[in-house]
Amino acid sequence: MADLKVLSGLGVGLNSVIGDVFRVLPHATLPPRAKSTNAGAETEALREAIASVAGELATLGHRADGASAEIFEALTYLLEDEELFELAESNISSGWNAASAYAMAVDEFGELLGGDPTFAERVADLQDLSKRVQSKIAGIELLLNLPTSGSLILVGEDFSPADTAQFTEAIKGVITSKGGPTSHTSIICRSRNIPAVVSCAQADELEDGDSVLVDPVGDRVVIGGTLSDATAAIEFVAMSAEPIIAVRSNIGTLADAELAAATKAEGVGLFRTELLYLSERKAPSVEQQTEHYSKVLAAAPTGPIVVRTIDAGSDKPVPFLSMGEEENPALGVRGYRLIVEHRSFIESQLVSLEGARQATGREVWVMAPMISTVQEAADFCELAKSIGKFKVGIMVETPSISAMIGDLKGIVDFVSVGTNDLSQYLFAADRMNPALGALLTPWQPALIRTLARIAADGKAAGISVGVCGESASDPTFAIVLAGLGVTSVSASPSQVNVVAKALSSLNLVEAKAIADLALSATSAEESKASVLAALAG
Ligand code: PEP
Ligand code: MG
């Protein structure tokens, strides 16, 4: 082992694999944006390219299995979006050629979705589509044509949704030089149980045919390594039928609710309502909202459904709730702070949710995002209780409210910790900045100690404490959360079952001992390594 070369990155998965490197080179570069004087011919070329891409997607979708087939469906849906085509047409009328006009239209469309990791998949879908249509016009081949036999480790910059849908049985592991813990490659590899190391800057050094060990638990790739060099794998064996704390699902759309219903999720821990409004130019009516919420509530897994009122602003721009230019939008008027200017819209959401609750007979809990003070929490809870028969609560995403949990006694029924934003504000580190990933990992002891305090103060005040940030989708971290005293976790639908299995593999006393290891660490590396070693041992 001493002489073997080790490349570090961010591991995705719980066990290691060895295989031969199969490099996927970046596709040929697309031609630069250019103008054209023949608008008629450009519109025709765009129509033809879109039709041809639609044909390809249909063929790929036909061959693909469940989750992958959905990717192609989503791409086809976007491809057929009339608003997108009209945007492209208007760019052609302004003198751009077909490929440029389409690329610009997709960019404009994508801006509406913002750069939030929550929407990263949809933005990635759009960019993938843009590349497909532009490549078709430029005559560039995008199919990966991967081998179907052997034990291969796929190496590339990053993989798009359509790329990952083409992975064959031969792909046993994945290494990417770019991408991060929330990139599409990570999400897909985690849900399909393909060990991966992403954000591995030195991946470019790997050559076709090199034998490598992909060791996600150790956050590394070992060139020439064997399984005996691997960090001990983590395997969860369910010891009881039920997880030690409730495992719920995060959803944003009706499709998510349906996916979640097919898992072991005990209800929904976070329904992100803003996904409904991202491309709306005016506020939907109470009738439209009630109809939409009723469908989602009816489809959601059995159990309570925790709905978050709109979290617009900053990384989640909603056109009809725009707050205009802000110097520092992450610290600006976002989430519940919109109540000052947009009270009637938040009220309309609550009225619609009460209508949907009555129509479906489901148990609905409502919570507000970005709460900073006890007064804000009290105002929201009073408002929500005056409108519907909900359990009411708030998200804990700011350090300020995390210090006041005991004072929420008698005001809220529950809190739900959004570790994505709590990390951002605790560490003063922009969650959108890939250079700050090391500060934003949930394994940071300052976050873990803050979570311990929230859980303890919640327990003392009789307030249940859930966690719905991305950290709860990592089964090893979910164990730490349970050990800290968190009473429920909520994970993305693809992670619910593995998180539930991890939380059925030990008892609360054992989870507490694991959490104590993380609590006593003074660095993220130490907390992760000590917990993973204990779980592997
Ligand atoms: C969070 O901040 O952790 C959270 C769940 O909310 P969002 O990611 O939607 O901001
Ligand atoms: Mg948040």
Side-chain angles (χ1 to χ4, degrees):
M1 174 73 194
D3 299 336
L4 298 177
K5 176 144 192 184
V6 173
L7 316 179
S8 47
L10 294 172
V12 177
L14 302 174
N15 48 353
S16 300
V17 69
I18 49 166
D20 298 331
V21 166
F22 185 92
R23 292 194 62 95
V24 174
L25 296 174
H27 301 297
T29 320
L30 290 165
R33 293 193 179 169
K35 296 261 182 174
S36 160
T37 49
N38 192 343
E42 297 299 340
T43 307
E44 201 39 44
L46 183 57
R47 267 190 214 290
E48 271 176 28
I50 288 178
S52 169
V53 169
E56 265 177 28
L57 293 177
T59 315
L60 286 170
H62 200 64
R63 274 195 241 141
D65 61 0
S68 303
E70 271 168 34
I71 290 170
F72 293 116
E73 257 170 50
L75 288 176
T76 308
Y77 182 74
L78 288 168
L79 195 62
E80 284 165 357
D81 192 290
E82 276 173 27
E83 199 177 338
L84 184 57
F85 189 79
E86 279 162 21
L87 277 174
E89 259 187 322
S90 98
N91 292 336
I92 290 179
S93 339
S94 310
W96 292 98
N97 69 13
S100 311
Y102 196 72
M104 288 157 67
V106 165
D107 286 350
E108 287 165 46
F109 215 68
E111 266 168 33
L112 293 176
L113 301 183
D116 189 291
T118 316
F119 312 127
E121 273 190 70
R122 293 177 71 193
V123 175
D125 285 345
L126 267 171
Q127 288 307 335
D128 193 48
L129 199 61
S130 172
K131 198 163 95 182
R132 275 172 189 279
V133 172
Q134 291 183 71
S135 302
K136 188 55 71 183
I137 295 168
I140 297 169
E141 178 59 79
L142 287 187
L143 289 179
L144 293 180
N145 290 322
L146 299 173
T148 51
S149 62
S151 286
L152 303 176
I153 307 297
L154 203 63
V155 179
E157 258 188 9
D158 200 8
F159 296 104
S160 72
D163 290 338
T164 55
Q166 294 173 58
F167 286 5
T168 60
E169 281 291 292
I171 309 305
K172 306 293 188 212
V174 170
I175 303 169
T176 64
S177 53
K178 295 195 176 149
T182 53
S183 68
H184 188 79
T185 307
S186 304
I187 292 167
I188 289 294
C189 287
R190 198 179 283 125
S191 70
R192 289 206 213 149
N193 215 1
I194 301 176
V197 173
V198 301
S199 205
C200 176
Q202 290 168 285
D204 297 343
E205 292 177 15
L206 296 168
E207 289 181 14
D208 271 331
D210 280 352
S211 171
V212 289
L213 167 75
V214 179
D215 179 4
V217 179
D219 286 330
R220 60 190 194 144
V221 172
V222 184
I223 304 177
T226 64
L227 286 176
S228 61
D229 300 312
T231 311
I234 296 169
E235 197 166 340
F236 296 114
V237 179
M239 304 300 279
S240 60
E242 297 297 323
I244 47 177
I245 56 171
V247 180
R248 312 198 201 285
S249 181
N250 288 353
I251 63 168
T253 60
L254 177 58
D256 289 346
E258 288 163 351
L259 277 180
T263 69
K264 296 203 166 91
E266 193 184 321
V268 167
L270 168 64
F271 173 11
R272 290 182 163 104
T273 55
E274 54 282 351
L275 284 171
L276 169 63
Y277 309 107
L278 281 174
S279 51
E280 296 294 330
R281 294 186 192 272
K282 63 183 188 39
S285 66
V286 164
E287 291 70 33
Q288 286 167 324
Q289 293 183 66
T290 308
E291 191 190 335
H292 175 77
Y293 293 144
S294 298
K295 284 190 194 148
V296 177
L297 297 193
T302 311
I305 302 167
V306 184
V307 187
R308 175 173 79 185
T309 54
I310 196 145
D311 188 15
S314 184
D315 48 9
K316 304 183 190 76
V318 172
F320 64 87
L321 296 178
S322 168
M323 294 311 297
E325 285 293 303
E326 290 181 292
E327 273 288 304
N328 205 339
L331 303 182
V333 182
R334 56 166 299 203
Y336 182 69
R337 296 170 185 180
L338 288 164
I339 194 87
V340 178
E341 294 266 333
H342 296 283
R343 187 176 186 93
S344 63
F345 179 70
I346 294 177
E347 283 173 356
S348 83
Q349 269 203 300
L350 292 166
V351 169
S352 309
L353 283 164
E354 173 60 9
R357 186 192 72 76
Q358 288 180 15
T360 57
R362 298 297 305 260
E363 179 182 345
V364 177
W365 302 13
V366 294
M367 63 180 180
M370 280 298 293
I371 292 287
S372 311
T373 66
V374 174
Q375 189 60 51
E376 284 175 349
D379 290 348
F380 172 74
C381 293
E382 193 188 327
L383 174 66
K385 291 238 182 234
S386 74
I387 293 179
K389 281 206 170 75
F390 310 120
K391 269 200 182 183
V392 294
I394 58 158
M395 288 196 73
V396 176
E397 298 179 290
T398 59
S400 59
I401 204 67
S402 78
M404 305 296 288
I405 301 298
D407 298 270
L408 295 173
K409 187 178 172 134
I411 295 175
V412 302
D413 298 317
F414 70 97
V415 299
S416 180
V417 187
T419 44
N420 306 337
D421 274 313
L422 185 57
S423 290
Q424 154 161 274
Y425 297 121
L426 199 56
F427 287 85
D430 182 349
R431 66 190 264 186
M432 303 310 304
N433 189 334
L436 302 177
L439 290 175
L440 296 166
T441 152
W443 296 101
Q444 280 290 354
L447 176 70
I448 294 170
R449 292 183 197 188
T450 303
L451 290 167
R453 180 170 169 197
I454 295 170
D457 292 352
K459 186 171 181 199
I463 297 169
S464 63
V465 176
V467 172
C468 62
E470 283 305 308
S471 63
S473 287
D474 175 338
T476 56
F477 198 77
I479 290 176
V480 173
L481 292 172
L484 292 175
V486 161
T487 51
S488 68
V489 286
S490 188
S492 52
S494 70
Q495 288 304 102
V496 165
N497 286 355
V498 63
V499 169
K501 190 168 182 194
L503 290 172
S504 310
S505 69
L506 73 188
N507 61 34
L508 263 178
V509 174
E510 289 163 336
K512 188 171 177 324
I514 299 273
D516 284 345
L517 294 172
L519 274 173
S520 63
T522 52
S523 72
E525 292 75 18
E526 191 188 338
S527 65
K528 181 176 178 183
S530 61
V531 167
L532 296 197
L535 289 173

